[in-house]
Amino acid sequence: MDDDEGYYYTGQTPFRKPDESRFRYHARRLLSIQTLGRLEYTVEEAESKFNRSLGPVELTFVGLGAVVGSGVFVLLGTAAATQTGPSISIAYLLGGIVSGIAALSYAEMASMIPIAGSAYTYAYATVGELPAWIIGWNLILEYMVGAATVSVGFSSYFVSFMHDAFNVQLSKTWTTAPVVWEEEEFRRSDAYFNVPAFVISILVTMAIYSGIHLTARINNVLVVFKILVLVIMIFALIPSIDSKNYHPYIPPNEGKSGQFGVSGLLEGAASVFFAYIGFDSVSTTAQEAKNPQVNIPIGIMMTLAISTTLYISMSAVAVGVAPYTALTGGSPLVKMVQVTGMHWLVVLTELGAIAATISVILVLLISQPRVFYAMANDGLIPRVFAKVHPKLKTPYVATLVSGIVCAFCGALIPTGVLSDMSSIGTIVAFFVVNVGVIILRYTRKTVPRRFKVPGGPILPAIGAASSLLLLMVAKRDSIIRLLVWMAVGVLVYFVYGRTHSEVNNPRMTNEPMQVVHENYSIEGLNNHQGYMDDYLQHQRDRQLNRRESGVMCPTDDDQTRVVDGGAGTSSSTTRDSGTTHQDEQGSGSLGPSTEHSSIPIHNN
C-alpha cells in the first residue's frame, strides 16, 4: 500500500475484542478474510505496474497454451495402458465435467474479483487466510511442479524428434531423471540429469522475464500450431482405426484397485485430470487483461470447450489405431502413429508435441509468479516476490525463482511423481473455488456479478462433490505426498505468514490517522476498555496526542472519512455521542457488513 493512501481494508478487527479469549482471538485471525475494498485497491495499485494488453482471444490462447500439452501427448497413453484401456475417452469426459463445473465457478469468481492470484485470492475473500494459504501453497504444485512435469514430456518428444528427423540418438544418461518411481519407492537410475527439460525451462523463463507482450506473441504462435497438428492427426488417422482395439471397452480388473475395471476408470479420470490443469491460469492474468470481469470468463469457458473436444476426439482415435497396451513410454502418440507407417505424420506429431509442451510450460510459469505476487502483496511470503520490474512490467524476482526451481525439478524428479502431485493439488483448489461460490451466493448476494453459474448453488455443489470423489479414488501415495506437502505449508505459514500478514498485522505509522477503527468511537478514545492489544493501545495514544495538538479535527462532532470494507466506496460518517449517521453506504462488501475496519498503514 502507498503511504499517501492511508487506508487499510480488512474484513474484521485484527485486534483482540473485549472479553475475547486468547484461543478464540487467534482462531478468528486464522479465518480473517479480505474485503472487496482492499482487493479493489489492489487492482488500482496494479494499474501502474502491469500492462493491460490481453483481450478475450489472447486470454483463450493463454488457457489453451496451458491446457493442451502433456495431458494429450503423454498422459493419454499412460492412463490408457495402465488404468482405463479403450475407455480413456470416458476418463477424459469425467475429468472434463468436473473441470467444466469448476470453470463455471472460476468464471463467476473472476467476474467478481478480477485480481491476480486465482484460487488463492478467491479463497482469501471467502473462507479466510489459512485456507487461502493452503490453496496458494497447493497452487505451487499445479503451476511450478506442473511445468516441471511438462518439461519432462518435452524432453521425451525432443529425443524422439531428433531420432526420427535427423537420425540422431541422444543418450538416456542426459535426457532422463536420475531417479525413478517403481513399486512405490524411489530408485536410482543410470541417468545423471535431464538436460532438455532443464534447458527448456530456463529458456522459457527468460522469455517470460522479457515481458507479457513478447510472451503472448510466442504463446499465440505455439497454440495455433499445436491445435492444427492435433486436428490434422485426428482426420489423418481415422482411416487407420481398427474396431477390434475397442474390445473390451472397459478391461476387467486385474486384482488390484486402479488396474482397469471401474476403479481403474475412476483412477484414470483422476490421472488425466492433469490434462485440464491450466484453464484457471487465465484468472492469474487478471491484472494484465482488458475488461477482466467480462473477458476472463470468456477465456476460461472457451479454453475448456476447445480442449475437451480435442481430448475426447484424440483419445478415441488413439486407442482405435493402436492397442492400448502399446501406448506406453514418454511419447505414446508417436508410437501410435508409427503403427500406420506414415513417417511424415510421425515427425509432425513430434513437432506438435514439442510446441504443445513449450506453450504449457510458458503459461504455467507465467501463472506461478503472479500467485507469488498476490501472496507477497498480502504479506504471506517475503515481499521481494511482489517486486515488479519498472520497465518490463513483470514480477521478475518471482519469475526467476519459479523458473529455476522448475528447471531443477524437471531435471531430477520422475514425471509420474510430479504429475500425480500436481493433479491432486489442483483438485483441492477446484473444491475450494466451488465451495467459495456457494458461500458468496448466501453471504454476499449484492456483489455485482458479470457472470453467474447457472442453476444457483447446485452445480458448484456437484463440482465440489466430484472433486472429493476424485480425491477419494486417487493413488494412496499421491494423497500421502499431498498431506506432507500441506503440513510443510502450514508450518511455513505459522513461522512466517501469520506474523507478516497484512490483514492480521496492520503496521503503524506516525502519519496523521485518516480514520478510526471500528468500535472506536469518540467516547472510546477517553474510555479505553476491554482491548488488550498493544497496537490498539498505541493507536489510542496517538489519537489522543493528535487531538490535543490539533492535528485531528477534535470535537465530539468528529468528522471522519470511513472507507467501506466493500466496494471501495466511501461514506462520510459523523460520530456524535456514539451515534453514527451515514450519508452514503457502500455496497457489495466481501467482509462482514457490520464492520468498517480501516487502519492506517505504511509502506515497506
Side-chain angles (χ1 to χ4, degrees):
M1 297 283 180
D2 295 333
D3 290 314
D4 57 357
E5 182 65 20
Y7 297 122
Y8 185 83
Y9 305 91
T10 182
Q12 58 187 341
T13 172
F15 303 113
R16 194 166 173 182
K17 295 181 177 180
D19 303 323
E20 184 177 32
S21 68
R22 184 177 296 275
F23 173 80
R24 183 178 178 83
Y25 164 63
H26 289 292
R28 175 171 58 80
R29 294 179 71 190
L30 296 179
L31 299 179
S32 297
I33 65 170
Q34 291 227 47
T35 63
L36 186 58
R38 185 173 191 273
L39 292 172
E40 286 188 345
Y41 179 85
T42 302
V43 175
E44 296 170 2
E45 186 183 38
E47 291 290 343
S48 61
K49 294 183 178 180
F50 293 96
N51 288 321
R52 288 199 179 275
S53 57
L54 304 179
V57 175
E58 289 84 1
L59 289 170
T60 301
F61 275 47
V62 166
L64 290 173
V67 172
V68 181
S70 285
V72 64
F73 284 99
V74 178
L75 293 182
L76 185 157
T78 303
T82 62
Q83 296 170 317
T84 68
S87 61
I88 181 65
S89 298
I90 297 180
Y92 275 112
L93 179 61
L94 292 175
I97 291 172
V98 176
S99 299
I101 297 173
L104 292 171
S105 297
Y106 268 91
E108 178 169 328
M109 284 290 202
S111 72
M112 296 170 59
I113 312 171
I115 314 292
S118 186
Y120 157 76
T121 300
Y122 306 152
Y124 213 156
T126 55
V127 292
E129 183 171 284
L130 180 58
W133 165 263
I134 293 174
I135 293 302
W137 188 253
N138 284 342
L139 286 179
I140 297 175
L141 295 179
E142 177 179 354
Y143 296 136
M144 190 159 61
V145 177
T149 303
V150 179
S151 71
V152 177
F154 165 84
S155 179
S156 297
Y157 275 102
F158 180 76
V159 171
S160 297
F161 173 74
M162 294 299 292
H163 177 266
D164 294 331
F166 304 107
N167 199 29
V168 174
Q169 184 64 51
L170 299 178
S171 172
K172 290 185 177 181
T173 303
W174 297 103
T175 56
T176 55
V179 294
V180 294
W181 177 258
E182 292 180 350
E183 299 179 359
E184 300 186 356
E185 66 178 4
F186 286 103
R187 294 183 179 179
R188 183 75 170 83
S189 71
D190 295 331
Y192 296 111
F193 200 76
N194 194 332
V195 175
F198 181 86
V199 171
I200 192 61
S201 296
I202 295 298
L203 291 177
V204 166
T205 300
M206 293 171 61
I208 296 172
Y209 183 89
S210 300
I212 193 66
H213 289 295
L214 174 62
T215 306
R217 286 196 292 268
I218 293 173
N219 181 64
N220 291 347
V221 172
L222 294 172
V223 168
V224 170
F225 181 74
K226 71 180 179 181
I227 297 297
L228 285 176
V229 168
L230 286 173
V231 172
I232 292 171
M233 287 178 63
I234 291 169
F235 284 99
L237 292 170
I238 288 177
S240 301
I241 292 177
D242 185 352
S243 60
K244 295 179 181 179
N245 290 327
Y246 291 119
H247 302 287
Y249 192 65
I250 301 179
N253 185 268
E254 295 184 351
K256 186 177 180 181
S257 177
Q259 293 183 350
F260 306 108
V262 175
S263 64
L265 177 60
L266 293 176
E267 193 167 303
S271 295
V272 301
F273 190 79
F274 177 80
Y276 293 97
I277 290 177
F279 75 81
D280 55 315
S281 63
V282 176
S283 62
T284 67
T285 61
Q287 287 165 218
E288 291 153 300
K290 303 173 184 175
N291 195 8
Q293 291 174 305
V294 174
N295 291 334
I296 286 181
I298 292 174
I300 289 174
M301 300 311 300
M302 289 299 296
T303 294
L304 200 67
I306 295 172
S307 60
T308 302
T309 302
L310 288 172
Y311 286 161
I312 294 176
S313 301
M314 189 70 249
S315 61
V317 169
V319 294
V321 171
Y324 67 87
T325 53
L327 300 177
T328 56
S331 50
L333 289 193
V334 170
K335 291 184 178 180
M336 180 266 295
V337 177
Q338 286 172 342
V339 172
T340 67
M342 292 185 283
H343 182 73
W344 68 270
L345 191 57
V346 171
V347 176
L348 184 63
T349 300
E350 291 165 344
L351 283 174
I354 289 172
T357 49
I358 292 175
S359 70
V360 174
I361 298 169
L362 186 75
V363 175
L364 294 182
L365 287 183
I366 288 174
S367 303
Q368 182 61 73
R370 282 144 183 83
V371 174
F372 280 154
Y373 169 83
M375 297 175 73
N377 217 33
D378 296 330
L380 298 183
I381 61 176
R383 294 184 179 280
V384 66
F385 287 97
K387 288 188 175 181
V388 177
H389 198 287
K391 184 177 180 180
L392 300 175
K393 305 293 185 181
T394 56
Y396 65 100
V397 175
T399 296
L400 293 175
V401 171
S402 299
I404 292 171
V405 173
C406 169
F408 279 102
C409 286
L412 300 173
I413 304 177
T415 181
V417 174
L418 291 172
S419 63
D420 286 342
M421 288 184 67
S422 187
S423 294
I424 296 300
T426 305
I427 292 172
V428 174
F430 284 7
F431 171 78
V432 172
V433 172
N434 281 308
V435 171
V437 169
I438 297 173
I439 291 174
L440 290 182
R441 284 292 184 92
Y442 289 101
T443 60
R444 297 295 175 264
K445 298 179 181 180
T446 60
V447 177
R449 294 167 171 82
R450 297 287 186 92
F451 175 86
K452 294 183 71 173
V453 179
I458 297 176
L459 278 181
I462 294 174
S466 302
S467 298
L468 287 179
L469 177 63
L470 290 178
L471 283 175
M472 291 172 62
V473 300
K475 296 178 182 178
R476 179 174 173 271
D477 54 327
S478 298
I479 295 292
I480 293 174
R481 284 194 291 267
L482 175 67
L483 293 176
V484 172
W485 174 258
M486 290 172 62
V488 173
V490 171
L491 178 63
V492 173
Y493 169 76
F494 279 103
V495 171
Y496 183 90
R498 182 174 176 273
T499 57
H500 292 77
S501 163
E502 284 277 0
V503 169
N504 280 318
N505 299 278
R507 290 164 289 158
M508 291 302 170
T509 175
N510 291 326
E511 296 301 315
M513 298 185 67
Q514 294 177 279
V515 296
V516 293
H517 190 269
E518 55 129 22
N519 299 332
Y520 206 17
S521 64
I522 295 302
E523 301 100 308
L525 290 174
N526 298 314
N527 186 24
H528 181 68
Q529 295 178 350
Y531 286 87
M532 295 165 280
D533 193 289
D534 291 338
Y535 278 158
L536 188 59
Q537 179 67 46
H538 180 54
Q539 183 185 33
R540 167 193 177 268
D541 293 339
R542 287 189 296 107
Q543 285 269 28
L544 290 176
N545 291 337
R546 289 192 176 91
R547 288 189 67 184
E548 293 172 0
S549 62
V551 173
M552 296 184 64
C553 299
T555 64
D556 286 342
D557 292 327
D558 187 18
Q559 299 261 336
T560 309
R561 182 173 177 81
V562 177
V563 178
D564 191 301
T569 58
S570 61
S571 60
S572 179
T573 304
T574 301
R575 301 183 185 270
D576 185 8
S577 300
T579 303
T580 302
H581 307 283
Q582 292 193 0
D583 299 323
E584 178 186 357
Q585 184 175 355
S587 61
S589 172
L590 284 181
S593 59
T594 60
E595 297 185 75
H596 293 289
S597 184
S598 303
I599 308 168
I601 63 165
H602 72 279
N603 207 10
N604 266 357

